[in-house]
Amino acid sequence: MTQAAILSHSTRPPVDYSKKWWVLLAVGLALFLGSVDGSIVNVAVAPLMQSLHADFPTVQWVILSYLLTLTLLLVGMGRLADMMGKKRIFVTGIATFLAGSMLCGLAPNVYWLIGFRVLQAVGAAMVIALGTAILTEAWPSQQRGQVLGLAAGFISLGIVLGPVAGGLILGALSWRWIFYVNIPIGAISLLLVLLYLPPMAPQNRRERFDFLGAVVMGGGLLAFTLAMTAGQNAGFTDPRILGLLAVSILMLAIFIVVERRVQHPLMDLSLFRVPAFSLNLFTATLAFIAISGVVLLLPIYLNLALGLDMTRVGLLMAAVPLVMVLLQPISGALSDRLGTRPVSLLGLFFILAGYLTMTTLQLDSSQVGFVLRMLPVSIGMSIFNSPNNSAIMGAVPRTRLGVASGILSMVRTLGQVTGIAALGAFFASRVVHYGSVELDSATPQAILLALHDQFFLVAALILAGIVVSALTWRWEMRTQAGKASAPLQPMTDRSAIAASADEPNFHG
């Protein structure tokens, strides 16, 4: 081993990987809990309206308050963890989420419930922002794809079981139990984290938290998410919505200026100069927008165009996350052997083929035919997600894992919000184009044709992602070839050697 390698290695304490499976179980249960909670509440809108004597717009804020709070805090929580320690923030997050769940179950009216959902989201932000970072650090780098695939399996399982569990609970008990059910699972996760998660001491203790950057970024995200959610009803040409979008763009510009001037920025903008980080984030955003916008609309086709009852609709829609539960761990392990780029690119091609195939859906398509057309999309998301996340996390230094994980989680949430809002508005406009004024009174033919247009649009988005991913792969191969042909230079400056220990890993 060279002197440079010895000194670089000495800058990091050795990591004990003997408890990595227990760490996966602890973190996986917490992520599972977050995904279950997100989907289980969605099926309780009608019972909440009846029990709390509230109208639909007010009950919607039970869901929106959680989503908005989560989006605003993800990056900040990741940054705090880099400064204070991932275990400390993660444990606090689980405890806060459990307290919020208990209070949500005890809420006397809908306004208290909305407030307690905000508290619950604060805890969820700590958990979701750090799950990927903790697993990246607690598992060997050569198994990063495998563990992130397994973690994604926990999330997908929660998405599958959330509506099913919600239906069973609401059929037998009151709505309060959809929050109480979090407590035993969360308690197990908390115990496992306390027992098996290593300390993960931060290396940025002397840095200060960038409160100004957090406020500016939070204001911009709040304006954007409000524009996306309110724009679905008011219309995206409404002056108020355009004003919110203008505010979000202005806040983004101010945020960039602030982050360049502060000594310890909330978000290290230099990360975005690494193509393996920024371009993979861009590709992930396109995939999240595409899948969320389509998943929102397929139940409309199944229910209003094919005339299926909601029970069958739920079972058919469960096919997507169920396939992801099974395949994401496999694709993650495969990327550890073959590399993240070819596997994630293969996944994008599957998604593209799936959306093009779904343009052949008709009004007389069978349920089996629907599942078979959805299968390539499900397989593609399973193949793409884990390797792409692995490439993103492998492109950042260890001292920035927390904030990188928070950025990845924020991008996922913003992609979902944007996909649901923007693609939902596009779908509604196409329904009007084909002769129907309102979606409730739309003819099956208008719904089908509008959905076909939607599939072509998202296929174009995925095609753009394929082009970006292919160009990134080409850049990576050129970079590796250049490094292989360059002569080795001895490193004598100890500070430069120490800094090299935190250089991004461009190879994913």
Side-chain angles (χ1 to χ4, degrees):
M1 183 179 293
T2 66
Q3 181 185 12
I6 294 172
L7 291 174
S8 176
H9 181 74
S10 65
T11 61
R12 296 183 181 180
V15 180
D16 180 13
Y17 297 125
S18 63
K19 299 176 181 178
K20 62 181 183 180
W21 289 103
W22 286 107
V23 173
L24 171 63
L25 181 59
V27 174
L29 282 177
L31 296 176
F32 168 81
L33 195 61
S35 61
V36 165
D37 192 75
S39 57
I40 200 173
V41 177
N42 294 342
V43 301
V45 172
L48 287 173
M49 291 172 61
Q50 296 170 2
S51 299
L52 299 176
H53 306 290
D55 57 16
F56 177 69
T58 303
V59 171
Q60 264 192 319
W61 277 98
V62 175
I63 300 171
L64 290 177
S65 62
Y66 183 89
L67 180 63
L68 291 175
T69 304
L70 192 65
T71 305
L72 298 182
L73 295 181
L74 284 169
V75 175
M77 292 305 178
R79 174 65 177 141
L80 273 179
D82 284 337
M83 296 170 56
M84 301 176 62
K86 298 179 185 65
K87 182 173 183 178
R88 178 187 299 181
I89 299 298
F90 198 74
V91 168
T92 304
I94 298 176
T96 304
F97 183 84
L98 292 179
S101 298
M102 173 63 74
L103 292 172
C104 283
L106 297 173
N109 58 53
V110 68
Y111 301 104
W112 280 102
L113 179 58
I114 292 170
F116 292 143
R117 283 284 282 173
V118 171
L119 176 63
Q120 195 183 33
V122 172
M126 297 180 186
V127 171
I128 295 173
L130 296 181
T132 302
I134 289 173
L135 294 175
T136 299
E137 188 169 341
W139 275 61
S141 59
Q142 63 269 25
Q143 294 179 318
R144 186 190 306 123
Q146 178 186 1
V147 68
L148 294 184
L150 291 167
F154 276 99
I155 296 173
S156 299
L157 184 61
I159 295 173
V160 173
L161 294 182
V164 177
L168 293 175
I169 291 171
L170 293 172
L173 301 166
S174 76
W175 62 267
R176 299 181 186 276
W177 285 92
I178 65 174
F179 298 107
Y180 293 150
V181 73
N182 295 332
I183 296 173
I185 301 174
I188 295 173
S189 175
L190 181 60
L191 179 63
L192 291 175
V193 167
L194 292 172
L195 289 176
Y196 297 109
L197 194 64
M200 294 186 172
Q203 299 182 16
N204 305 327
R205 290 184 185 274
R206 297 182 180 179
E207 296 183 358
R208 293 182 178 181
F209 187 78
D210 177 18
F211 286 101
L212 178 59
V215 170
V216 173
M217 186 185 72
L221 289 174
L222 180 61
F224 179 79
T225 49
L226 284 176
M228 290 293 103
T229 52
Q232 298 175 68
N233 297 323
F236 288 97
T237 58
D238 186 287
R240 295 167 296 178
I241 304 304
L242 293 176
L244 285 171
L245 291 175
V247 169
S248 67
I249 295 173
L250 177 62
M251 287 294 190
L252 174 62
I254 296 174
F255 178 73
I256 292 174
V257 173
V258 169
E259 296 305 277
R260 285 180 172 177
R261 293 186 176 183
V262 298
Q263 183 178 5
H264 303 298
L266 175 73
M267 187 183 297
D268 187 352
L269 298 181
S270 66
L271 293 175
F272 292 92
R273 293 198 292 267
V274 182
F277 180 80
S278 56
L279 295 181
N280 284 326
L281 273 179
F282 175 73
T283 309
T285 303
L286 293 179
F288 292 137
I289 290 173
I291 192 67
S292 59
V294 170
V295 168
L296 171 72
L297 301 173
L298 285 176
I300 297 175
Y301 162 76
L302 294 172
N303 181 236
L304 298 182
L306 295 189
L308 300 179
D309 60 74
M310 292 309 296
T311 301
R312 292 197 178 190
V313 170
L315 291 174
L316 290 173
M317 291 303 299
V320 176
L322 186 60
V323 170
M324 295 177 72
V325 170
L326 300 175
L327 291 186
Q328 282 187 130
I330 299 174
S331 69
L334 191 64
S335 71
D336 289 331
R337 294 189 176 186
L338 303 179
T340 58
R341 186 64 51 213
V343 179
S344 61
L345 193 56
L346 177 64
L348 289 175
F349 275 110
F350 264 98
I351 298 172
L352 176 63
Y355 283 134
L356 293 177
T357 301
M358 292 181 72
T359 60
T360 64
L361 283 171
Q362 300 299 326
L363 296 178
D364 58 353
S365 295
S366 66
Q367 296 175 43
V368 174
F370 171 81
V371 172
L372 291 177
R373 288 176 174 87
M374 275 292 294
L375 201 56
V377 177
S378 307
I379 293 173
M381 283 300 296
S382 304
I383 296 174
F384 165 78
N385 198 32
S386 301
N388 194 69
N389 290 350
S390 178
I392 291 170
M393 297 305 295
V396 300
R398 182 172 177 264
T399 55
R400 294 291 183 264
L401 283 177
V403 73
S405 180
I407 292 172
L408 178 58
S409 300
M410 182 190 69
V411 163
R412 183 187 304 116
T413 305
L414 288 178
Q416 292 170 346
V417 171
T418 305
I420 290 172
L423 296 185
F426 174 80
F427 175 78
S429 69
R430 299 312 293 169
V431 169
V432 172
H433 173 78
Y434 290 115
S436 297
V437 179
E438 297 291 341
L439 185 58
D440 293 341
S441 59
T443 64
Q445 184 68 16
I447 292 174
L448 179 68
L449 293 176
L451 199 60
H452 284 177
D453 291 347
Q454 186 88 312
F455 291 145
F456 282 120
L457 175 61
V458 296
L461 292 177
I462 297 301
L463 182 60
I466 289 174
V467 172
V468 171
S469 186
L471 291 175
T472 307
W473 192 8
R474 181 183 180 186
W475 176 86
E476 289 172 346
M477 288 190 294
R478 285 185 174 182
T479 302
Q480 292 178 21
K483 287 183 177 180
S485 59
L488 294 176
Q489 298 293 333
M491 296 182 66
T492 57
D493 181 15
R494 181 178 292 270
S495 62
I497 294 172
S500 71
D502 286 327
E503 281 296 313
N505 173 14
F506 293 96
H507 308 291

